[in-house]
Amino acid sequence: MLKAAFYTLGCKVNYYETESLKGIFLQEGFDIVDFGVEADLFVINTCTVTHVADRKSRQTIRRAKKLNPEALVAVIGCYPQVNPEAIRALPQVDLFLGTQERLSLPGLVKRRLQGQDKYGGISSYDHEGAAFEEMPWLKEQGRARAFLKIQDGCDRFCSYCVVPLARGPLRSLPLEKGLDYLREIGRAGFKEVVLTGIHLGLYGMDSQDRESSLATFLEEAVKIEGIQRIRLSSIEPADFDEKLLEVISRGGKLCPHLHIPLQSGDNFILSRMKRSYNTSFYASLLRDLRGSIADLAISSDIMVGFPGEEEKHFLNSLQFVRECAFSSLHVFKYSPRPGTEAATYSSPVKPEVQEKRSREMIALGEELAQQFQEQHLGRTFPVLFENKIEYSDLSCSSFPRECLLKEEKITGNPLIWEGFTPNYLRVRALGKPDWRGKVKHICLKKRYPNYLEGSEPG
Ligand code: 5AD
Ligand code: SF4
C-alpha cells in the first residue's frame, strides 16, 4: 500500500481542503501517514499571503524531498496558483495544482507514478464565473471539532491582498448541501463545527436565491441535532448586516467568539489599504455586538509597517487596538505581494521599524489576552475537551506536583485534558479517560500564559 503524507500551511480553509483530500486518497487505497516519516507521496497545501508564508511553503517542500528523495512531491494551493513559475522551478516538485480542480489530484498522482512529466495545471481565475468546488467532508477528522468549508473566494481587492488572485471570485456551497454536511457531522458525533470560508460573511451572495445568506444558513444550522456549538472562522467588519447581527445575538449554539479583521487602527492607513470602514464604524460594531452577546470574545488581525505608516499612525493603531480589548491578536508585518495595488506604493517602512512595531503590537495583544482571561477567573463555563496532555509533556506544568501525585494515588493515572470554552478560552483540567469530545462544566481558577486551569465544581 502506498503511503501518503499531507502538510497544511495557512488558514482554516486550507486545513479543511487538506483533510478532504486525505479522505479521497484513503478511498483510493493510500495509507495516510504523519508528515515526518518516509512516505511515497507528500502533498503540501501552501499559503502565499506573505513572503514568509512562501518561504515556509518552500521549506516544507524541501523537507519532504529530504524525508524520501524517491517520493513524489505534490504542491497545491495558493502559492502555485499565484506563482506557478516559482513552483515549477523547484527541483523537488513533481506535480503542482492551484486552488482549482483539486479533486483531480489522485488521478494526476497515479499518472505521474506511471512516469509522466512534471505537471502544473494552473489557469488564472476569471472573476466573472467560477464554480464552488465541493470538497467532501472527511468523517475521520483528527479533532473533536469538525471543520466545514461553505464559501470560497473574495472580490474585495484590498490593496495589500493577494487572496482574490489566489482564490478567485466569491462562490458558495449551496445551502441544502451545507446543511446535509452538518447533519452528517452531527450524526458522526461531533459536538462543535467551525464554518470556514475565505470571505464567509458574504456566503450565499453569489446565489440566484435572494434569501441565501450567512444569516439564513445559520438559522437553519442551529436546528441540526447533535451539534452543540457552531463557530465562525472570520467575518469582515462590513459584513455584519442587521439580520446577521440579530441571528448571532440570539446566541444558543452560536459561539460568542468572533474573529473580525481590523488590519489597522488608523483611518489614513485603512483608506490606503482600501478597507471599506473606519475606526468609528468598527468601534460602534464592537459596541453593538458586546451590548447583545454576553462574554463575547473578539479576536482580530492587525498589520504593521504598511507603506506610508508613520509613527503617529502606528501609535493610533496601538491605541485603538487597546480600546478594542481584543481577546487575541494575530499580528502580521506587511509584505508586498506582486500583482496587488499596494506593491506599487512608495514609502515602504524599514524592516527594522516593522520588526519593532510588530513586537510592540504582539506585546499589546498578549496584555489584552491576559486581561480577557482574567475576567473569567472564578466563573464556570462549559468546556469541550479535545486533547489529552501527556503527563510527560508537562514540563511547563501548572498543575502542582502534589495535586498530580494525589490524583495518581486515586486513579493511578492523572489525566490532564485540554479544551475550549464557547468563547475560545483554552482550558486545562484533571479529567477522566473518556473526556475526549465531551462537554464538562469547569470552574476557571488560575491563569497561565496560554490557558486557564480549572476543575469541575464541587
Ligand atoms: N502582508 C502582511 N499581512 C497580510 N495579510 C494579508 N495580506 C497581507 C500582506 N500583504 C494578513 C491580513 C489578513 C491575514 C490573513 O493575513 O492581516 O487578515
Ligand atoms: Fe494563505 Fe490566504 Fe491562501 Fe488561506 S487563502 S492559504 S491565508 S493565501
Side-chain angles (χ1 to χ4, degrees):
M1 201 188 254
L2 289 174
K3 287 188 241 158
F6 292 76
Y7 195 94
T8 310
L9 295 114
C11 61
K12 293 192 177 99
V13 171
N14 258 15
Y15 174 80
Y16 177 81
E17 291 163 348
T18 309
E19 291 300 296
S20 178
L21 279 173
K22 277 188 198 169
I24 295 166
F25 275 90
L26 262 176
Q27 277 172 6
E28 295 285 329
F30 282 78
D31 187 14
I32 309 295
V33 296
D34 286 344
F35 198 97
V37 298
E38 207 179 292
D40 304 294
L41 166 69
F42 290 95
V43 180
I44 296 140
N45 196 359
T46 57
C47 174
T48 191
V49 78
T50 58
H51 72 280
V52 178
D54 282 355
R55 190 166 63 216
K56 285 187 187 157
S57 300
R58 289 193 304 270
Q59 281 165 351
T60 312
I61 293 166
R62 284 196 292 270
R63 191 174 144 218
K65 204 64 174 186
K66 269 201 198 123
L67 284 165
N68 179 8
E70 301 302 314
L72 198 68
V73 174
V75 177
I76 61 170
C78 294
Y79 193 177
Q81 181 66 44
V82 169
N83 197 347
E85 293 318 314
I87 298 296
R88 195 191 301 279
L90 296 174
Q92 300 88 356
V93 177
D94 296 297
L95 193 163
F96 59 98
L97 263 185
T99 54
Q100 303 166 87
E101 296 168 14
R102 279 163 295 221
L103 298 178
S104 65
L105 188 63
L108 293 172
V109 164
K110 275 193 196 143
R111 264 180 272 155
R112 183 62 223 239
L113 287 171
Q114 288 155 8
Q116 284 192 5
D117 285 347
K118 184 181 278 203
Y119 176 86
I122 312 281
S123 51
S124 41
Y125 276 105
D126 168 6
H127 269 255
E128 292 309 311
F132 183 86
E133 188 181 19
E134 186 181 331
M135 299 191 66
W137 175 73
L138 168 65
K139 207 181 209 157
E140 295 82 9
Q141 291 196 358
R143 302 195 183 188
R145 254 183 293 160
F147 284 71
L148 180 66
K149 171 182 147 184
I150 61 170
Q151 187 279 334
D152 204 343
C154 178
D155 285 327
R156 268 284 151 90
F157 290 94
C158 296
S159 67
Y160 52 81
C161 192
V162 74
V163 170
L165 306 177
R167 288 283 181 174
L170 277 182
R171 51 223 195 271
S172 311
L173 180 68
L175 189 123
E176 268 314 315
K177 285 203 167 156
L179 297 174
D180 279 345
Y181 277 126
L182 286 183
R183 288 185 196 105
E184 209 180 300
I185 289 171
R187 282 195 297 273
F190 286 90
K191 302 272 185 343
E192 180 174 321
V193 62
V194 184
L195 296 178
T196 72
I198 295 296
H199 200 145
L200 186 61
L202 294 188
Y203 169 81
M205 292 299 141
D206 52 313
S207 157
Q208 303 294 340
D209 174 4
R210 293 186 54 215
E211 292 300 304
S212 175
S213 68
L214 182 61
T216 41
F217 186 88
L218 293 176
E219 274 184 314
E220 294 305 313
V222 294
K223 297 178 191 157
I224 290 172
E225 270 177 47
I227 297 172
Q228 293 181 14
R229 294 177 173 189
I230 299 174
R231 211 178 278 287
L232 303 174
S233 62
S234 177
I235 311 275
E236 285 291 319
D239 297 343
F240 287 91
D241 60 13
E242 232 169 79
K243 173 123 194 249
L244 183 59
L245 271 170
E246 196 260 315
V247 172
I248 294 179
S249 305
R250 281 183 220 156
K253 289 184 183 179
L254 290 177
C255 289
H257 165 215
L258 296 169
H259 186 81
I260 313 176
L262 169 66
Q263 311 301 0
S264 168
D266 178 88
N267 287 333
F268 169 72
I269 297 297
L270 282 174
S271 78
R272 275 173 73 84
M273 288 177 163
K274 297 249 151 69
R275 301 289 283 169
S276 56
Y277 53 88
N278 58 21
T279 51
S280 60
F281 175 92
Y282 192 94
S284 119
L285 172 66
L286 296 202
R287 265 195 305 279
D288 289 349
L289 288 165
R290 288 189 168 126
S292 49
I293 308 172
D295 297 312
L296 178 65
I298 299 175
S299 52
S300 198
D301 292 344
I302 297 288
M303 222 182 290
V304 296
F306 190 73
E309 186 189 69
E310 294 170 12
E311 194 61 17
K312 63 180 182 200
H313 306 123
F314 175 65
L315 291 176
N316 284 342
S317 208
L318 270 182
Q319 176 59 27
F320 187 70
V321 165
R322 182 176 287 285
E323 286 162 15
C324 288
F326 292 120
S327 61
S328 90
L329 211 56
H330 296 170
V331 179
F332 296 82
K333 284 183 273 189
Y334 168 72
S335 162
R337 302 281 72 203
T340 62
E341 191 180 319
T344 65
Y345 288 1
S346 51
S347 36
V349 174
K350 288 196 188 105
E352 59 273 23
V353 176
Q354 275 199 330
E355 183 56 41
K356 181 182 149 286
R357 290 182 186 168
S358 164
R359 266 191 264 117
E360 272 184 66
M361 193 58 89
I362 289 172
L364 174 58
E366 285 166 358
E367 184 189 329
L368 296 177
Q370 174 171 340
Q371 282 167 12
F372 187 71
Q373 282 181 310
E374 277 164 3
Q375 289 163 19
H376 294 77
L377 287 175
R379 298 171 61 198
T380 298
F381 290 88
V383 176
L384 171 60
F385 284 101
E386 302 189 4
N387 309 313
K388 208 162 39 181
I389 310 279
E390 291 304 326
Y391 199 12
S392 55
D393 286 350
L394 288 169
S395 46
C396 59
S397 171
S398 59
F399 284 86
R401 238 190 112 57
E402 321 80 77
C403 165
L404 289 173
L405 289 174
K406 186 171 139 214
E407 184 71 12
E408 197 167 23
K409 260 190 210 146
I410 303 169
T411 63
N413 184 16
L415 285 176
I416 293 167
W417 285 93
E418 187 172 85
F420 291 89
T421 60
N423 62 0
Y424 214 57
L425 285 163
R426 189 187 293 269
V427 174
R428 287 184 182 177
L430 278 173
K432 307 265 165 2
D434 65 346
W435 273 23
R436 183 186 300 280
K438 297 232 163 105
V439 176
K440 299 281 169 190
H441 281 81
I442 300 292
C443 179
L444 306 177
K445 297 200 169 134
K446 206 165 170 192
R447 191 193 71 78
Y448 290 89
N450 282 322
Y451 63 94
L452 289 160
E453 180 193 305
S455 59
E456 282 190 286

